[in-house]
Amino acid sequence: MTLKGGSFLLIQYYYVALLLLAALVFIGLLIKMAYRYGLKKAGSGSLSNSQQLNSLINSLNDIIFEFNEDKVCLNVWFNERVKRVMDPKQTIGKRPEDILGYEKALKFNHALDQVIKTRMPASLEFPSFFGTGKWFIAKIVPVFDTGGNYTGRISISVADISEQKKYADALKENETLLIESQSFAKIGNWWYDHIKKESYWSESFYAVLETESLPQGLTKFEYYLSLVHPDDRASYREFHLSLYTSDLKQFEHRLITPKGNLKYIKVVKGDLTNDADGKLKRISGIIQDITESKLSEKAIKKGRSELIEAQTIAKIGNWSWNIASDKVKCSQETYNIFEVDAHIMARLGTGRFLLTHVYKNDKLILQHLFKNAARKPGYTCVFRIVTPNGAIKYVRIIVGSLLKNEDGSLRKIIGTLQDITDRKQIEIDYKTTENKYKLVLETIKLAAISIDGQGDITFCNQYLANLLGYNQKEILGMKWVDKFLPRGTKELLGNWLANSSIPTQYTNPIVCRNGDERIISWQNTISYDENGLVKEITSIGEDITDQQKATQELVLAKELAEKSSRFKSDFLSIMSHEIRTPMNAVIGTTNLLLSDEPKPEQLEYLNILKFSGENLLSIINDILDYNKIEAGKLELNEFKFDLRHLAQKIRQSFLPKTVEKKLTIELTIDEAIPEYLTGDQARLSQILNNLVGNAVKFTDKGTITIGLQAERIDSQQAIIKFIVADTGIGIATENLDIIFDPFTQEPIINNNNGGTGLGLAITKRLVNLHQSEISVKSEPGKGAEFTFTISFKLPQKEAEGLLAGTDSSPMLNLYGMNVLIVDDNKMNLLIASRFLKKWQANVDEALNGQLAVEMVGNKVYDLIIMDLQMPVMDGFEATMAIKKTNPEIPIIALTADAMPETYNKALEAGMSDYLTKPFVPAVFFEKVSKHYQPVV
């Protein structure tokens, strides 16, 4: 109905606008004819013709101007009887800009120029320049003589189109409102022109279908039918084919849009339109998206079904009592509870029916129900009924809402009826067994007590009475909380009772008659009344006073251990920072020297220095982070590396020591081992350094052997066996099982070969981290042989990334990146700055966090590298201050503190990444380059 009314309104406005346009064209033609007639007569010099022209002009409301090609007004004709804001005669001898001003005359001058150039008519609409609110149309026409020759004159006829404009605006506004209404109601309109055999769909029709156009090669009907749900397609086709003959006005079906959304659609057919001969001309209608209402209906039906199912499970029925008709309606579950058919209650009447089936001793309860139901919303009563087969049931009736009329009189009462027979039977059984369990509680060697909802003691066994120093009869009736609980716990347990929130287990002290306190661990059983309030609490308790004292001692010991652990953690953090800072200078300077193209004779020494420094750093890391090793928190960092090169560097680093001791160190590498593997080079290096270092340390003559054997190689992995053997002092058989324990050394080792005893313990854990085991064979005086295998992944051939630990390369480029380095150590600043500048970054330096905050306020940085421990303002505080004003700037922590808690604290402060000193240049570049945007 909304669509038909809207369409009629659009048609009305269409015809009104058409009539107004026709009238406007007629006036224009009349003016043109008058103008031509006036020119022709003016040439003859006849006064009467001039008078006739004036009479003709005065019959119109239009104004006609005559301009020359200089855009000067030569003449003006108008109805002199019409009052105007401005006398048109004032325009004679003037240009448009003289009359209107430059800006307002601009569009008129453009139109005149176009007409003069093309000698073709033009028109433009404009509002009144004098604030009247009216609209006008100016038709600009070149003037030709009777011979068709251009005269060099231009006529401008100005007509008032305010009414047409008003109707057009109203038409547009109503059209917009109609479209908005259709969009809001999810309606699209359609019609079929039976004569032209063409279908029309509105834009809102396409919107309902969630498409903008038809696929090529399909008609509208074929396309729409393809969207109809397959199960509804046949019935929709039948409806469509019977549009002209069937009285069926609407049809509902499902539709799958091109976007895959399922919709429910209602198609409504309008009236048929016939021509003058009574033949069908057009049929129209609408479609509406009714998905939401359909889904709501389904949800309501599902909810109603679930409610009925829930009521059936809970044995709850509904009833409503209409006061005016004095009739009661009940749900099916109500009849199921009474085990009768609905017609029996209807025949007897509700009151008589209840009196017939109520248990004889409960009729008084039923009378109270009839008396109070209309006066007390929420009224509840429980009574028994007798079913037709003689079964006795307990039922509970609850009076729910009292619905009233506008005058305040009672209209309807709504309530529920529930079969609570099973619950009542449980209560009866409970009371039956209550005495039995009390007898049991008297025999156990535990405290047992029962208190009611008010906190009064209703039962206390002999064990608890003896513990408290009372006899049983004295205790009954006493307030448990007030009498037997110390002051500190009275309020807590009192609140539990008041709020019916007693926990099933808790521990609290109790006060004995002699003033002693005993600590009891209670297990509680709570029963509740019909309103959910605590009815009774029965508790069984164990006297754990002695255990509690022992526990307190353990807690104290635990606190001391935690304090010691925190002290160790703080110590390790400080030591980490103090050792790593100079190590950063050593390793950083070595990397810088290596990147400056050293002489060949210097390169070997620098590589040894770098390799040894990195190994020393790895050892320092493990010693300082031994708490992580103990907790199994070490993780492998796998990179592509050259195993052969690593083994050769390890041999080379120990070569001076073996030469000094006149030992031979041999390295054998299986030719089948691939050139590159993927693994944790640092951890493997640490394992081999520990084993080779021990071999050199405990061997006075003979040979140290490092062996690498390929056990199995496929397309995915390589399993390598490592052997480190020596001809040293060896290990006693009885010590082979403990040699890998931390802080354990061979008893025969003299003080000259002493150490921390951590080396082999760390080595074993690092091998375990590789999912492998290390074994040892040894005889005293003949040396030892350590063996382990590690599985390495093979790197992809197309991956050509940096090898782990390689020095900086000329290909590394951070050109144009603005980086701020913040560190209170000038050597750290120097090393980091040198690497960044080598990578063509623009580097600024700050010695503390306060200076960094100020510099960020004065310059835009792409990245900030921030130390954490600094004077004036540390890195955490500086990061938080910078992030408040510049949250988008990435900040990388560069610190000598490698403790896990420091890492977490840095991330919480807002830092983007974390790098420990001393850093590997490749890793440093990788972390910095993540935030690099190449300069275009």
Side-chain angles (χ1 to χ4, degrees):
M1 293 177 66
T2 303
L3 179 62
K4 289 175 65 180
S7 298
F8 179 71
L9 182 61
L10 284 172
I11 293 169
Q12 277 188 318
Y13 280 120
Y14 174 75
Y15 283 116
V16 169
L18 189 61
L19 289 172
L20 289 173
L21 182 59
L24 184 61
V25 172
F26 172 75
I27 291 171
L29 290 173
L30 187 59
I31 292 170
K32 186 174 181 180
M33 290 173 61
Y35 181 71
R36 289 181 177 177
Y37 177 79
L39 289 176
K40 183 176 180 182
K41 295 300 182 181
S44 65
S46 171
L47 180 61
S48 60
N49 290 337
S50 177
Q51 290 175 345
Q52 292 176 3
L53 178 60
N54 288 333
S55 297
L56 182 61
I57 294 299
N58 286 335
S59 68
L60 301 174
N61 288 328
D62 296 2
I63 306 174
I64 301 174
F65 299 91
E66 180 185 8
F67 282 81
N68 61 18
E69 289 191 342
D70 293 329
K71 294 183 280 190
V72 176
C73 180
L74 302 178
N75 286 300
V76 62
W77 295 271
F78 60 94
N79 188 341
E80 296 182 357
R81 291 193 298 271
V82 177
K83 292 183 179 181
R84 291 179 170 83
V85 179
M86 173 187 172
D87 185 359
K89 294 179 180 180
Q90 297 179 14
T91 62
I92 296 176
K94 297 180 180 178
R95 297 175 182 272
E97 58 266 27
D98 299 331
I99 304 166
L100 303 174
Y102 177 79
E103 292 294 336
K104 293 180 180 178
L106 195 58
K107 56 184 175 182
F108 288 95
N109 284 328
H110 286 167
L112 282 168
D113 291 339
Q114 183 69 20
V115 172
I116 293 169
K117 180 179 178 181
T118 63
R119 298 183 184 179
M120 296 293 294
S123 65
L124 59 88
E125 294 182 3
F126 61 93
S128 171
F129 296 112
F130 304 103
T132 62
K134 293 185 176 183
W135 276 82
F136 300 89
I137 183 170
K139 292 190 174 182
I140 308 168
V141 181
V143 179
F144 297 90
D145 60 18
T146 56
N149 299 314
Y150 175 55
T151 63
R153 299 287 188 269
I154 302 96
S155 69
I156 301 178
S157 61
V158 179
D160 185 347
I161 60 168
S162 300
E163 289 300 318
Q164 297 94 310
K165 194 73 173 176
K166 177 180 177 182
Y167 280 114
D169 290 344
L171 178 64
K172 186 175 182 180
E173 181 180 355
N174 282 279
E175 183 181 3
T176 302
L177 290 174
L178 177 61
I179 293 173
E180 289 179 354
S181 299
Q182 288 183 337
S183 176
F184 179 76
K186 299 181 179 179
I187 291 175
N189 56 307
W190 57 269
W191 68 73
Y192 177 72
D193 191 321
H194 191 70
I195 297 174
K196 296 181 179 179
K197 305 300 182 182
E198 292 181 354
S199 298
Y200 169 80
W201 291 353
S202 67
E203 290 185 7
S204 54
F205 192 106
Y206 285 98
V208 171
L209 299 185
E210 296 182 354
T211 187
E212 296 180 355
S213 61
L214 293 176
Q216 292 183 353
L218 291 179
T219 65
K220 287 186 171 67
F221 172 72
E222 291 171 340
Y223 180 58
Y224 188 88
L225 188 64
S226 70
L227 298 179
V228 175
H229 193 282
D231 295 343
D232 299 341
R233 198 167 288 163
S235 56
Y236 174 76
R237 184 191 294 273
E238 182 180 348
F239 167 76
H240 183 83
L241 294 176
S242 63
L243 283 174
Y244 308 110
T245 58
S246 174
D247 293 331
L248 185 63
K249 290 289 186 180
Q250 63 183 36
F251 178 78
E252 294 181 4
H253 67 87
R254 291 164 294 173
L255 180 145
I256 301 174
T257 71
K259 294 182 179 180
N261 296 322
L262 176 66
K263 289 189 174 185
Y264 289 84
I265 302 295
K266 178 194 287 184
V267 182
V268 180
K269 178 182 71 174
D271 295 331
L272 304 180
T273 303
N274 298 322
D275 59 14
D277 298 330
K279 295 181 179 180
L280 179 63
K281 182 179 180 182
R282 190 173 73 169
I283 181 172
S284 61
I286 65 168
I287 67 167
Q288 183 176 14
D289 182 355
I290 58 171
T291 306
E292 292 182 0
S293 61
K294 278 290 184 181
L295 293 180
S296 297
E297 289 176 10
K298 286 189 174 183
I300 292 171
K301 290 180 181 179
K302 181 180 179 182
R304 185 182 294 115
S305 174
E306 291 176 350
L307 177 60
I308 293 173
E309 183 179 356
Q311 288 180 337
T312 303
I313 295 172
K315 298 181 181 179
I316 298 176
N318 299 325
W319 55 267
S320 62
W321 179 11
N322 190 308
I323 302 301
S325 62
D326 196 28
K327 291 185 178 180
V328 177
K329 290 184 178 180
C330 300
S331 66
Q332 182 59 44
E333 185 59 25
T334 303
Y335 302 122
N336 295 341
I337 292 172
F338 280 94
E339 299 180 9
V340 297
D341 295 330
H343 71 274
I344 296 178
M345 181 180 288
R347 177 169 55 82
L348 294 177
T350 305
R352 186 178 173 189
F353 174 81
L354 289 174
L355 288 173
T356 301
H357 289 277
V358 71
Y359 190 74
K360 60 182 180 180
N361 295 336
D362 293 348
K363 290 185 177 181
L364 184 61
I365 299 174
L366 195 61
Q367 292 175 4
H368 280 288
L369 171 64
F370 292 147
K371 181 179 179 181
N372 294 301
R375 297 186 300 170
K376 296 181 179 179
Y379 180 81
T380 302
C381 65
V382 176
F383 57 89
R384 288 166 289 182
I385 62 170
V386 182
T387 65
N389 63 7
I392 297 176
K393 294 183 177 181
Y394 285 87
V395 296
R396 172 190 286 151
I397 286 184
I398 299 177
V399 177
S401 302
L402 304 181
L403 306 181
K404 298 184 179 181
N405 297 309
E406 294 181 357
D407 59 1
S409 60
L410 188 61
R411 177 170 59 89
K412 184 182 289 186
I413 302 174
I414 299 174
T416 61
L417 179 141
Q418 182 179 12
D419 180 357
I420 60 170
T421 306
D422 294 340
R423 186 186 304 174
K424 275 292 182 180
Q425 188 60 48
I426 291 172
E427 291 179 2
I428 293 170
D429 294 342
Y430 173 78
K431 289 186 179 295
T432 303
T433 58
E434 186 175 12
N435 289 331
K436 294 180 181 179
Y437 89 81
K438 287 183 178 180
L439 291 175
V440 172
L441 293 178
E442 285 292 352
T443 61
I444 62 175
K445 299 300 182 182
L446 296 171
I449 187 172
S450 294
I451 60 175
D452 60 21
Q454 288 71 46
D456 296 331
I457 300 173
T458 58
F459 171 77
C460 174
N461 70 348
Q462 189 62 50
Y463 180 89
L464 179 58
N466 295 339
L467 189 65
L468 294 172
Y470 293 85
N471 63 55
Q472 287 177 281
K473 292 183 179 179
E474 284 183 287
I475 292 177
L476 295 180
M478 288 185 177
K479 295 285 186 182
W480 173 251
V481 173
D482 296 339
K483 184 68 177 178
F484 297 104
L485 298 184
R487 183 175 301 175
T489 58
K490 283 184 179 181
E491 184 177 356
L492 176 61
L493 268 72
N495 289 336
W496 285 351
L497 275 172
N499 298 323
S500 300
S501 58
I502 310 296
T504 57
Q505 192 280 331
Y506 65 88
T507 300
N508 69 279
I510 59 174
V511 181
C512 302
R513 194 168 199 167
N514 60 6
D516 293 344
E517 289 189 5
R518 306 295 296 179
I519 299 174
I520 310 296
S521 175
W522 300 102
Q523 296 289 336
N524 306 309
T525 301
I526 305 103
S527 58
Y528 299 90
D529 62 17
E530 297 170 349
N531 298 317
L533 301 176
V534 172
K535 182 178 180 181
E536 187 178 64
I537 305 166
T538 298
S539 304
I540 297 176
E542 180 184 4
D543 185 356
I544 60 169
T545 306
D546 296 335
Q547 297 96 308
Q548 194 74 5
K549 290 180 180 178
T551 301
Q552 289 177 351
E553 292 176 357
L554 288 175
V555 169
L556 181 60
K558 177 177 176 292
E559 290 175 351
L560 290 173
E562 290 175 347
K563 185 177 180 181
S564 175
S565 177
R566 285 194 298 271
F567 173 78
K568 181 182 72 173
S569 179
D570 293 342
F571 170 77
L572 291 175
S573 178
I574 294 171
M575 289 302 298
S576 173
H577 185 273
E578 294 303 321
I579 295 175
R580 286 174 181 273
T581 298
M583 283 299 297
N584 184 52
V586 172
I587 295 178
T589 303
T590 303
N591 285 322
L592 284 172
L593 291 172
L594 282 169
S595 67
D596 283 339
E597 299 181 359
K599 296 178 180 180
E601 62 269 17
Q602 296 173 332
L603 183 61
E604 181 179 2
Y605 300 117
L606 288 174
N607 281 327
I608 294 172
L609 177 62
K610 176 178 180 294
F611 183 72
S612 300
E614 290 175 349
N615 286 332
L616 176 60
L617 177 63
S618 297
I619 296 170
I620 292 171
N621 285 342
D622 285 333
I623 293 175
L624 294 178
D625 294 341
Y626 190 71
N627 57 333
K628 286 201 299 184
I629 297 177
E630 290 175 322
K633 294 181 179 180
L634 278 180
E635 296 180 355
L636 297 177
N637 297 312
E638 296 184 342
F639 295 94
K640 178 181 176 182
F641 74 101
D642 185 340
L643 179 58
R644 297 169 181 270
H645 182 62
L646 173 64
Q648 289 167 358
K649 287 204 300 183
I650 291 174
R651 177 186 178 278
Q652 195 70 17
S653 67
F654 286 101
L655 188 59
K657 186 65 176 176
T658 56
V659 171
E660 178 185 339
K661 296 183 69 174
K662 298 180 180 180
L663 301 174
T664 301
I665 181 166
E666 297 178 352
L667 172 62
T668 59
I669 302 177
D670 192 333
E671 292 296 330
I673 295 176
E675 181 180 3
Y676 294 116
L677 301 172
T678 298
D680 192 329
Q681 174 179 318
R683 296 304 177 190
L684 177 59
S685 174
Q686 187 175 350
I687 294 170
L688 293 175
N689 274 302
N690 280 343
L691 294 176
V692 175
N694 281 345
V696 173
K697 182 190 300 183
F698 301 123
T699 302
D700 293 327
K701 60 181 179 178
T703 303
I704 311 296
T705 303
I706 306 171
L708 280 66
Q709 299 175 3
E711 287 206 335
R712 181 163 62 87
I713 299 175
D714 56 31
S715 60
Q716 300 294 326
Q717 64 178 357
I719 300 177
I720 310 300
K721 181 178 181 181
F722 296 87
I723 302 170
V724 178
D726 62 65
T727 57
I729 59 176
I731 305 169
T733 304
E734 63 270 18
N735 294 328
L736 290 176
D737 292 334
I738 63 171
I739 198 67
F740 293 108
D741 293 343
F743 305 106
T744 301
Q745 294 180 333
E746 261 277 64
I748 63 173
I749 297 175
N750 58 47
N751 291 334
N752 293 331
N753 290 327
T756 62
L758 286 174
L760 288 178
I762 294 173
T763 299
K764 178 178 174 59
R765 282 161 174 77
L766 292 177
V767 172
N768 295 155
L769 196 61
H770 286 83
Q771 306 300 316
S772 182
E773 294 289 340
I774 185 170
S775 61
V776 57
K777 295 187 294 183
S778 179
E779 291 183 27
K782 293 185 179 181
E785 179 180 291
F786 291 84
T787 307
F788 62 93
T789 59
I790 293 180
S791 175
F792 297 97
K793 297 178 183 177
L794 295 182
Q796 296 181 0
K797 293 183 179 179
E798 64 272 18
E800 295 295 340
L802 287 172
L803 297 184
T806 57
D807 295 331
S808 57
S809 166
M811 298 302 293
L812 305 182
N813 181 18
L814 300 173
Y815 178 75
M817 186 179 192
N818 293 323
V819 182
L820 173 61
I821 305 176
V822 189
D823 200 312
D824 61 325
N825 188 298
K826 293 185 178 180
M827 180 58 70
N828 292 339
L829 286 175
L830 172 66
I831 294 170
S833 296
R834 285 287 180 86
F835 276 110
L836 290 170
K837 289 176 181 178
K838 280 179 177 292
W839 299 328
Q840 302 184 57
N842 302 321
V843 181
D844 290 339
E845 299 176 356
L847 290 172
N848 58 63
Q850 182 63 50
L851 290 175
V853 173
E854 295 173 0
M855 293 174 70
V856 170
N858 298 324
K859 183 176 178 179
V860 177
Y861 290 99
D862 301 311
L863 175 67
I864 300 174
I865 299 173
M866 182 79 69
D867 187 21
L868 299 181
Q869 298 180 17
M870 295 180 290
V872 184
M873 180 185 289
D874 62 28
F876 302 108
E877 187 178 353
T879 297
M880 289 185 286
I882 292 171
K883 285 292 183 177
K884 287 181 180 178
T885 57
N886 297 274
E888 74 286 350
I889 298 181
I891 301 176
I892 299 177
L894 180 59
T895 176
D897 190 344
M899 301 304 288
E901 53 270 23
T902 307
Y903 172 81
N904 296 330
K905 185 178 178 182
L907 295 184
E908 290 171 1
M911 294 185 174
S912 309
D913 209 336
Y914 193 93
L915 184 62
T916 55
K917 304 172 190 172
F919 57 80
V920 177
V923 177
F924 183 39
F925 178 82
E926 177 191 359
K927 291 183 179 291
V928 173
S929 61
K930 289 179 182 178
H931 309 284
Y932 174 57
Q933 297 294 331
V935 177
V936 180

